[in-house]
């Protein structure tokens, strides 16, 4: 899942419900629609028919329970970033308010309970075989039917796009929307080994309209010393008109069934929502690149004590990159990049264990493949990876970011905001000591990452990105402050299905500020 955010500054106790708001950094507060929690009388349709554990399906969760809530910011908060995130990002729920018992679906699933004491890490369910898994999908009401989405069919890619565009994440005023592209789905969902049947859709039987979706792709997940064949589950979406009707539990059970049929019993997933129970929680940080544009579209109000010129100059970056040997990654780099990145990721407690072809896919997609050029300026490009190569041809660093823009509706000057998300990176400096706790190497790594990400920001600016987002995972706490990333109060929770694990650091201290000493144990970057 992409991002979640709310407002950083908790000085005000007022809570304003927004889905995703317009961004603003360090600015004055943009008036927001204040929603009340009026219960709308809704006709409730039960979509599933035989779910014993989710028999509460007839009693819908009130929308208020899943509406992201933010604290109103004060004028000196990093609002432009915050708000921008909100529209970029995943919706966020209120802080966890439900007890375990109230999670009528999740309390039935093999997940860690809140406050569960974990002595031994390991699978929750007893081992099963695919034969024990039902062969047929879970029943739906006759008005709906299951489908498998085919990414080879441009029409079906467009259907996923349309569903997510209108229903995935947007701001309260419906001004900003994720602007997925067919290329993005091709990259995100067509990972090596992907199973067509793990792209699960629900259609209206009569019209065949796609009204819900969930996806899985295969991966190997390492939790500390244990590597689990797993699925990465993402892009869960239910059409707005079908919300609170308990379709989500069915989608999750159906994708679980299809994944279990492949003898896979674990999954990694993320969300802004609090579910039982996060193994880690990271925080969003945002770095304005094109402050003037963010201001033009109303995302970044001018702080009362500042001027437009001051704000623009605050976020100015050097004219050119400064790392000698920095260049776009090529397919021939994969052996060195693989060794570097895999060794770096082995230092983290939660990480994907990549095969070489997987890493190549995630860092390069199809660029430089089958006659397709490896052009940084390809307008269809969604992932950029850069390497730093010495004169002797040794690759010492790799850094990457992906693109997920947002449409701006109703603005005369700009129709979209271009957003870069930090993805995988590694530096050979990190490998100079066996332990991440080594103080001297950490200081050296900090200096190197500041340089590496300053260069990534310059490249992003030259590629016309307006803002650069990063979480507090990996070693990111070492460079976020220094490079003028602003703290979001959007948090991304990491979950592992059917696996008990002790908590993993998310790069944050108890007061939610950056833990620049210990950093994060999370080495898995999710879309
Ligand atoms: C081994 C293989 C295992 C594979 C499976 C691994 C698990 C994968 C898990 C999925 C990972 C997805 C990763 C991503 O893609 S995260 C992205 C989620 N998508 C969005 O936020 C897009 C906009 N929102 C929507 O489309 C809907 O609001 C959704 C679909 C989110 C909920 O629709 P609705 O509001 O109409 O709800 P309901 O009446 O159908 O169902 C209510 C139940 O659903 C639980 N709920 C609500 N939100 C989420 C959520 N984000 N993850 C898991 N569960 C969620 C909720 O607690 C309640 O259960 P309980 O509280 O009663 O217990």
């Amino acid at each position: 899942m992409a991002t979640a955010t709310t407002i950083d500054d908790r000085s005000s106790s007022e809570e304003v419900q927004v889905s995703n708001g317009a961004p603003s950094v360090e600015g004055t507060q943009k008036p927001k629609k204040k929603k009340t929690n009026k219960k709308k009388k809704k006709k409730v349709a039960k979509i599933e028919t035989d779910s014993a554990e989710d028999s509460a399906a007839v009693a819908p969760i009130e929308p208020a329970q899943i509406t992201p809530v933010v604290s109103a910011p004060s004028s000196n908060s990093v609002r432009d970033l915050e708000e921008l995130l909100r529209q970029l990002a995943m919706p966020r729920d209120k802080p966890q308010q439900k007890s375990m018992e109230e999670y009528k679906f999740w309390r039935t699933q093999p997940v860690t309970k809140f406050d569960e004491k974990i002595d031994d890490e390991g699978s929750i369910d007893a081992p099963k075989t695919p034969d024990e898994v039902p062969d047929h999908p879970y029943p739906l009401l006759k008005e709906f039917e299951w489908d498998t989405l085919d990414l080879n069919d441009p029409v079906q890619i467009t259907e996923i796009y349309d569903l997510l565009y209108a229903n995935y994440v947007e701001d309260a005023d419906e001004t900003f929307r994720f602007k997925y592209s067919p290329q993005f789905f091709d990259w995100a969902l067509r990972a090596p080994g992907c199973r067509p049947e793990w792209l699960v859709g629900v259609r209206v039987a009569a019209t065949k309209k796609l009204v819900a979706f969930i996806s899985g792709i295969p991966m190997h997940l390492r939790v500390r010393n244990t590597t689990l064949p797993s699925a990465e589950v993402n892009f869960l979406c239910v059409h707005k008109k079908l919300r609170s009707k308990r379709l989500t539990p069915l989608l999750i059970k159906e994708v679980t069934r299809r994944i279990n049929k492949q003898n896979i019993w674990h999954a990694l997933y993320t969300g802004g929502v609090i579910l039982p129970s996060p193994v880690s929680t990271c925080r969003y940080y945002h770095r304005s690149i094109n402050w003037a544009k963010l201001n033009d579209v109303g995302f970044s109000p001018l702080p009362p004590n500042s001027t437009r010129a001051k704000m623009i100059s605050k976020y100015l970056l050097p004219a050119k990159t400064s790392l000698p040997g920095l260049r776009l990654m090529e397919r021939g780099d994969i052996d060195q990049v693989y060794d570097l990145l895999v060794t770096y990721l082995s230092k983290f407690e939660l990480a994907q264990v990549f095969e070489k072809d997987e890493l190549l896919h995630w860092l390069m997609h199809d660029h430089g493949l089958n006659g397709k050029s490896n052009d940084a300026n390809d307008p269809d490009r969604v992932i950029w990876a850069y390497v730093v190569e010495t004169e002797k041809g040794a690759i010492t660093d790799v850094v990457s970011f992906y693109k997920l823009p947002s449409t701006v509706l109703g603005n005369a000057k700009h129709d979209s905001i271009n957003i870069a998300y930090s993805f995988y990176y590694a530096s050979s400096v990190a490998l100079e000591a066996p332990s991440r706790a080594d103080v001297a190497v950490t200081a050296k790594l900090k200096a190197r990452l500041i340089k590496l990400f300053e260069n990534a920001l310059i490249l992003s600016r030259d590629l016309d990105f307006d803002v650069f987002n990063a979480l507090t995972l990996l070693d990111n706490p070492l460079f976020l402050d220094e490079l003028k990333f602003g703290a979001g109060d959007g948090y991304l929770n990491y979950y592992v299905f059917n696996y008990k694990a002790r908590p993993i650091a998310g790069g944050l201290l108890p007061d939610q500020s950056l833990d620049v000493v210990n950093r994060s144990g999370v080495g898995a970057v999710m879309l």
Side-chain angles (χ1 to χ4, degrees), residues 195-207:
R195 307 279 316 180
E197 74 273 18
W198 292 6
L199 304 185
V200 184
V202 172
R203 292 184 185 276
V204 175
T207 62

Side-chain angles (χ1 to χ4, degrees), residues 1 54 61 66 90-91 98 102-107 167-169 214 231 233-239 242-249 251-252 255-256 259-260 264-267 269-275 497:
M1 135 160 228
D54 200 39
I61 297 290
I66 56 162
M90 330 275 319
K98 298 203 285 189
E102 289 171 294
Y103 285 90
K104 292 186 169 57
F105 168 65
W106 280 107
R107 72 183 181 199
N167 301 280
Y168 199 56
V169 179
I214 192 167
V233 177
N234 205 344
F235 303 111
L236 163 65
C237 185
V238 169
H239 193 287
L242 290 174
R243 294 280 168 86
S244 302
K245 299 182 191 312
R246 313 298 299 179
L247 186 50
T248 301
L251 283 162
I252 293 172
V255 80
T256 302
I259 292 168
N260 288 167
I264 291 175
W265 308 91
H266 302 93
Y269 52 103
T270 55
V273 294
I274 299 285
L275 304 167
F497 188 85

Side-chain angles (χ1 to χ4, degrees), residues 46-49 139-145 203-206:
K46 186 183 173 206
I47 294 173
E48 61 190 320
T49 56
L140 287 171
L141 280 184
K142 66 177 186 334
E143 288 81 7
F144 299 95
E145 60 190 28
R203 292 184 185 276
V204 175

Side-chain angles (χ1 to χ4, degrees), residues 237-295:
C237 185
V238 169
H239 193 287
K240 285 177 182 172
K241 292 197 170 154
L242 290 174
R243 294 280 168 86
S244 302
K245 299 182 191 312
R246 313 298 299 179
L247 186 50
T248 301
L250 271 184
L251 283 162
I252 293 172
K253 286 195 293 183
E254 179 57 14
V255 80
T256 302
R257 187 190 70 79
R258 295 183 188 198
I259 292 168
N260 288 167
K261 273 289 177 196
Q262 298 304 316
N263 203 18
I264 291 175
W265 308 91
H266 302 93
L268 178 66
Y269 52 103
T270 55
V273 294
I274 299 285
L275 304 167
S277 296
V279 65
S280 188
T281 301
C282 298
R283 185 174 191 174
Y284 280 103
Y285 272 67
H286 324 295
R287 208 287 183 187
S288 289
I289 296 174
N290 187 349
W291 185 87
K293 178 174 170 187
L294 298 178
N295 181 249

